[in-house]
Amino acid sequence: MKRESIAIVRRLGQTEYADTCAAMQTFTGARQPDTTDEIWVTHHRAVYTLGVAARAEHLPPAGNVIPIVRSDRGGQVTFHGPGQVIVYTLLDLHRRGLSVRALVRLLENAVVDLLADHLISAAGDPGRPGVYVDGAKIAALGLRVRHGCCYHGLAFNVENDLAPFDAIDPCGYPGLAVTSARNLGIMASFDAMADALVLHVQHRLDS
């Protein structure tokens, strides 16, 4: 069965994490069998987000000034901030014939494809969702599925401040190194990287 193409891409600019999560929940709760899938592209004001598996020992220490928001996505704690491309995939997985595991691999491969365009070798890790370059994490994933439809998605470090990751165990892994496209010498703009990542996601969904 050929999967349908993404019909709608929404570029939201910079947003508040909690507001965007609420909007995704509303969209997904109101979906009908013929609702068109969407991809939302954004970056968030600085925030730590806690997935459903988040544990206290991985969180920022007392005195942290960055807001902490609990989320209904999978996974543990991560940081979002300006300059990090967020691609939210609001998809009917059943209609597309996709499992959650297959979608995770698809999103990881889209990041790998984008980095390969810039001659950077990257890979996923079957034991740790995300994309890594020489052991440093450049993209994180977290999804939520409701009645066969998913939301949340992918966070890709482009030119965001990485220092806030030092205060947490990223995705629950103490000492995990984190990197960004800019740290790897990729000088393309945030908007250019966001557009290219969306194209790779669409290509993977269509293939």
Side-chain angles (χ1 to χ4, degrees), residues 11 41 197-198:
R11 291 171 173 80
V41 187
L197 182 54
V198 169

Side-chain angles (χ1 to χ4, degrees), residues 14-80:
Q14 188 179 92
T15 59
E16 293 287 352
Y17 181 81
D19 293 344
T20 309
C21 285
M24 287 191 290
Q25 291 166 348
T26 298
F27 175 90
T28 302
R31 289 193 71 131
Q32 300 298 316
D34 60 349
T35 298
T36 302
D37 289 340
E38 298 192 5
I39 289 177
W40 295 0
V41 187
T42 186
H43 60 141
H44 294 306
R45 296 175 180 89
V47 62
Y48 289 116
T49 71
L50 312 183
V52 295
R55 294 164 54 182
E57 61 264 33
H58 302 307
L59 306 188
N64 160 67
V65 298
I66 296 174
I68 300 173
V69 176
R70 186 163 292 279
S71 172
D72 62 348
R73 64 165 173 80
Q76 299 211 33
V77 60
T78 194
F79 170 75
H80 299 309

Side-chain angles (χ1 to χ4, degrees), residues 54 80 85 99 104 131 140 179 183 196 202 205-206:
H80 299 309
V85 174
S99 67
V104 168
V131 179
T179 191
N183 277 10
Q202 290 177 304
L205 282 169
D206 290 345

Side-chain angles (χ1 to χ4, degrees), residues 175-197:
L176 179 65
V178 178
T179 191
S180 67
R182 195 65 81 242
N183 277 10
L184 295 173
I186 299 173
M187 302 311 294
S189 70
F190 172 87
D191 287 340
M193 294 296 281
D195 288 346
L197 182 54

Side-chain angles (χ1 to χ4, degrees), residues 28-29 31 91-94 144-151:
T28 302
R31 289 193 71 131
L91 308 176
D92 186 327
L93 297 181
H94 178 73
R144 175 76 175 188
V145 177
R146 183 189 298 173
H147 304 304
C149 297
C150 76
Y151 55 105

